[in-house]
Amino acid sequence: MLALSSQGALKGVRMKVAIVGAGISGLALAAALHREGLDVTVYEKSPMVRIGGSGITLAPNALAALDSLGIGEPFRERQRQQGPLQGGQRSPRGTWLMRFPTEVTAQSLVIARDELHMLLASALPRDLIRAGTRVERVVPLTGTLTLHDREGRVQSETFDLVVGADGLTSAVRRAWPEDPGTRYAGYAAWRGLTEAPFELDAVGAETWGTRARFGVAPLYDGRVYWFGVHTTHEPRRGHNNLEELHRLFDRWHSPIPEVIHASGENTIQYLPIVELAGELCSFARGRTVLIGDAAHAMTPNLGQGACQGLEDAATLAVLLRSVVSTPRAAQSLETVLVKYDRLRRARASAIARSSRRIGRIAHMGGPALASLRNELLRIMPDRLLAGQVMATTRWTPPTTHA
């Protein structure tokens, strides 16, 4: 596996890179490029790097990307502490409908989001992160940003490369002529963490009911990350709708009600599921490139949003190693961005489409159709469904000649 761990791969080049957004993919990329000697600055509009949140599953492809970026060891250490896990899908009565391959669950890591962000931020010097700085304007062809800092000062600065890692409502993506904007997927989700370790008997599964789903996944430290999803009109932000949460899931199979009650109500998040309203024609434009949700914000039905963002970061980092200090450096960077777009756009877009289809299947119809769907899942050989899971979570980093 090719890793960005050799120092001086870009010796003689002091490439000036702006990364807009201190989320998962932005911090991961910044850490790798800083290790390689690039002049990297991360601009984050929030007053601090994200804290809080619930949990997240880093599938095998995400962990492979972190290894490629040279920052995988803290995550592998936590993965080694995680016990074996039986994953799959169940009915609201608890009947197993399908089971995931054990090699997928054994090679994944379930971790709290605040710990994930802490580990990523600790991989680079804190003075490289300019929190409280908002991007007001982007000129993609020249790599120029107009920045508004926390003291109210506005300045313009030009970079060799601008990376838009600023998420679903990306200010960088708005500079793309074909920015499709965002759309509500038709369902909303509660997300939570138990306040203390909770025994799940080594099961991490998703349960499908009528226009509603519930998933549980034990963290390596014994706590449980869970999510509940239901079809509804787009909710207003800030409304937790806990009465509906209990109405929907308190009679589902154990341990679903118990997990909900083991979580502090003030820590439960309730948010609409939103995705890009269309696919971009390119992830790169001029001296600017998009990664993560800024490029391909998708529904969470395959658990691949952050995983694909980490693949983006690792791919871009590997390809940037081929940029050397020559009079044709600008042309070399253009070639890198063309390669990045070719390698990433097709895969990420295909996974986004698959995730959208799964959401539609999960939330279509009434009780009769949901019952038929679950029966078809139950009688279908696990290997048929497992094949897509394996293909989605399998990834190796490209070479610089990709």
Side-chain angles (χ1 to χ4, degrees), residues 137-186:
R137 184 169 181 265
V138 183
V139 183
L141 296 182
T142 62
T144 302
L145 296 179
T146 301
L147 304 164
H148 188 287
D149 68 20
R150 66 173 69 201
E151 282 77 34
R153 295 172 299 205
V154 178
Q155 64 180 26
S156 290
E157 194 167 352
T158 298
F159 300 85
D160 296 307
L161 177 64
V162 172
V163 180
D166 48 343
L168 177 71
T169 58
S170 170
V172 179
R173 191 186 65 242
R174 286 199 298 270
W176 259 238
E178 72 277 16
D179 176 18
T182 63
R183 67 183 167 206
Y184 176 54

Side-chain angles (χ1 to χ4, degrees), residues 58-60 79 100-109 386 389-390 393:
L58 299 178
Q79 181 195 22
F100 291 147
T102 55
E103 53 264 45
V104 172
T105 55
Q107 296 174 29
S108 300
L109 170 66
V389 175
M390 294 292 290
T393 60

Side-chain angles (χ1 to χ4, degrees), residues 366-389:
L369 192 56
S371 178
L372 175 61
R373 176 204 61 208
N374 283 1
E375 180 61 20
L376 290 174
L377 286 172
R378 189 186 67 80
I379 64 176
M380 189 178 298
D382 286 351
R383 66 179 181 276
L384 296 181
L385 297 172
Q388 180 180 0
V389 175

Side-chain angles (χ1 to χ4, degrees), residues 30-44:
L33 298 187
H34 173 70
R35 286 163 60 92
E36 289 299 315
L38 277 70
D39 180 5
V40 180
T41 306
V42 180
Y43 296 100
E44 169 57 44

